[in-house]
């Protein structure tokens, strides 16, 4: 049996076994206690017992590695600069976090929907809805990636229900903001090793925009989480687990009781490649996140006060804020009027 613990040791994140929810009232009560502690005290944990078949994991990772092995010209044919919806391939160094380049390349994928340009008076965040870009020579990538979005949406929904129950809230409170018009986001990411100038920012310190992130990482390592001591600590890879972190919307929903925790990735040494697959469980773009009624609301400390990173209860604005600053080439080409003058 997996040792499930919320031991505050910085050597590993808390380990949560989601399958305990199906093993009777006593096991579920223990799961809720552990989940409550992990989400309130750390904002990060390792999730096992999630039920995702190994075959689906292998199919996605195999297709992903074949994508990054394609000739550069084929990958650049999907350049996200072509997409006003921020979909497609981002070259190494073209994404920014904290104003500095991230030394990774990636493919951004979302729900497959028609292109939408906001009409007069409509919020600008509707630009985020649109079609994906896929490599013609690798049709299995589309199949595996969209299956992954569906599978992890289901896992994240179940996890969110258990998390809300764990803090004394109605488990289905946020169901109306998801459904068929939810805005999930998947990244297929490769870290190619250290930058030539010695910079080690694989991706800079940040918080995620939505409700939950489920990360599949390989065994190379490099993910670091900021813990209660203010320092960034390594997250050792755990075979078969997803690294889960809470996004800014859960911090907003609980008035800071649940933590959206800063994290980063340090580039692997030399020419070592690292692969990771973060999945972001996000609601509808036009969803407004209402305050959550829960048992511990009276002890909530309030949301983070960071003038450089305002938090919005309406999800679309929260994501658009991040996209515009993370992808300056896309923003400059398609959304110049949305940019704030320096």
């Amino acid at each position: 049996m997996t040792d499930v613990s919320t031991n505050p040791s910085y050597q590993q994140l808390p380990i949560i076994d989601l399958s305990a929810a199906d093993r009777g009232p006593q096991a579920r009560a223990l799961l809720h206690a552990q989940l409550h502690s992990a989400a309130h005290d750390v904002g990060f944990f390792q999730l096992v017992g999630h039920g995702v078949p190994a075959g689906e994991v292998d199919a996605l990772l195999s297709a992903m590695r074949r994508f990054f092995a394609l000739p550069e010209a084929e990958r650049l044919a999907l350049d996200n600069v072509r997409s006003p919806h921020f979909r497609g391939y981002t070259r190494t160094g073209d994404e920014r976090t904290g104003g500095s380049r991230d030394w990774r390349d990636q493919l951004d994928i979302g729900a497959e929907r028609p292109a939408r340009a906001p009409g007069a008076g409509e919020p600008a965040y509707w630009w985020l809805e649109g079609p994906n870009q896929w490599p013609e020579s690798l049709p299995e990538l589309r199949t595996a990636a969209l299956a992954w979005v569906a599978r992890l949406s289901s896992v994240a929904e179940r996890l969110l229900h258990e998390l809300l129950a764990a803090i004394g809230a109605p488990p289905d409170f946020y169901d109306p903001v998801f459904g068929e018009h939810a805005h999930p986001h998947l990244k297929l990411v490769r870290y190619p090793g250290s930058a030539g100038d010695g910079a080690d920012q694989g991706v800079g310190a940040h918080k995620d925009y939505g409700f939950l992130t489920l990360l599949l990482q390989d065994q190379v390592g490099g993910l670091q989480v900021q813990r209660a001591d203010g320092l960034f600590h390594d997250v050792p890879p755990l075979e078969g687990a997803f690294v889960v972190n809470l996004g800014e919307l859960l911090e907003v929903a609980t008035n800071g009781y649940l933590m959206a925790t800063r994290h980063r990735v340090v580039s692997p040494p030399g020419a070592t490649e690292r692969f990771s697959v973060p999945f972001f469980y996000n609601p509808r773009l036009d969803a407004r996140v209402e305050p959550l009624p829960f048992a511990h609301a009276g002890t909530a400390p309030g949301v983070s006060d960071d003038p450089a990173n305002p938090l919005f209860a309406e999800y679309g604005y929260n994501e658009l804020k991040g996209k515009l600053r993370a992808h300056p080439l896309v923003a400059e080409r398609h959304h110049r009027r949305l940019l704030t003058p320096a």
Side-chain angles (χ1 to χ4, degrees), residues 32-79:
H32 286 175
Q34 294 164 337
L35 193 52
H36 184 166
S37 176
H40 175 58
D41 299 332
V42 185
F44 261 84
F45 51 90
Q46 299 264 24
L47 185 71
V48 298
H50 44 69
V52 178
E56 293 184 18
V57 176
D58 293 343
L60 180 68
L61 293 180
S62 175
M64 173 185 178
R65 287 178 179 273
R66 289 198 294 274
F67 170 74
F68 285 109
L70 290 175
E72 184 181 42
E74 288 192 47
R75 285 180 277 123
L76 289 178
L78 313 179
D79 196 325

Side-chain angles (χ1 to χ4, degrees), residues 5-328:
S5 172
T6 52
N7 188 322
S9 166
Y10 292 161
Q11 300 305 307
Q12 180 56 280
L13 295 175
I15 300 172
I16 302 295
D17 185 351
L18 188 56
S19 68
D22 300 324
R23 294 203 293 269
Q26 186 175 355
R28 190 163 185 245
L30 179 58
L31 165 67
H32 286 175
Q34 294 164 337
L35 193 52
H36 184 166
S37 176
H40 175 58
D41 299 332
V42 185
F44 261 84
F45 51 90
Q46 299 264 24
L47 185 71
V48 298
H50 44 69
V52 178
E56 293 184 18
V57 176
D58 293 343
L60 180 68
L61 293 180
S62 175
M64 173 185 178
R65 287 178 179 273
R66 289 198 294 274
F67 170 74
F68 285 109
L70 290 175
E72 184 181 42
E74 288 192 47
R75 285 180 277 123
L76 289 178
L78 313 179
D79 196 325
N80 73 341
V81 175
R82 302 169 182 263
S83 169
H85 317 293
F86 297 88
R87 305 291 178 86
Y89 177 69
T90 303
R91 289 176 286 193
T92 302
D94 277 1
E95 187 173 13
R96 300 286 189 273
T97 301
S100 299
R101 67 181 187 184
D102 294 327
W103 200 247
R104 62 178 184 173
D105 60 342
Q106 65 192 33
L107 187 68
D108 281 278
I109 299 162
E112 195 71 89
R113 295 194 178 120
R116 178 165 180 178
E122 288 190 315
Y125 57 65
W126 288 117
W127 280 113
L128 299 172
E129 193 166 277
N132 296 301
Q133 298 192 74
W134 303 106
E136 293 183 3
S137 64
L138 201 60
E140 62 268 32
L141 179 65
R142 182 183 191 277
T143 300
L146 294 182
W148 193 257
V149 169
R151 173 69 73 178
L152 263 66
S153 292
S154 178
V155 173
E157 179 184 36
R158 183 183 183 205
L159 176 60
L160 181 60
H161 283 178
E162 297 298 340
L163 173 58
L164 296 187
I167 62 171
D172 60 353
F173 186 79
Y174 289 117
D175 283 5
V177 304
F178 286 93
E180 62 177 330
H181 297 294
H183 190 73
H185 179 203
L186 176 66
K187 285 178 179 278
L188 307 180
V189 184
R190 173 180 61 178
Y191 297 87
S194 299
D197 60 5
D200 66 355
Q201 177 171 304
V203 59
H206 66 286
K207 299 179 180 181
D208 294 340
Y209 317 136
F211 270 74
L212 293 168
T213 301
L214 280 68
L215 171 72
L216 174 66
Q217 62 169 341
D218 65 15
Q219 297 300 303
V220 172
L223 175 64
Q224 296 182 335
V225 172
Q226 191 172 35
R227 303 293 295 269
D229 62 357
L231 303 177
F232 283 87
H233 294 268
D234 292 330
V235 178
L238 183 64
E239 186 71 34
F242 294 125
V243 181
V244 176
N245 65 281
L246 280 56
E248 292 173 335
L249 288 189
L250 274 174
E251 182 174 323
V252 170
T254 61
N255 196 30
Y257 185 79
L258 297 183
M259 295 177 61
T261 304
R262 282 161 52 87
H263 52 287
R264 67 188 185 189
V265 173
V266 176
S267 293
T272 303
E273 288 185 318
R274 175 182 185 263
F275 293 91
S276 71
V277 186
F279 169 79
F280 305 92
Y281 186 58
N282 304 324
R284 299 191 324 261
L285 287 170
D286 61 349
R288 184 170 184 83
V289 179
E290 298 298 333
L292 180 70
F294 68 106
H296 307 275
T299 64
V303 299
S304 304
D305 183 16
D306 181 357
N309 184 41
L311 304 185
F312 299 98
E314 193 166 349
Y315 175 65
Y317 289 120
N318 215 41
E319 180 167 325
L320 183 62
K321 163 199 72 178
K323 294 289 192 186
L324 290 171
R325 66 190 181 195
H327 295 278

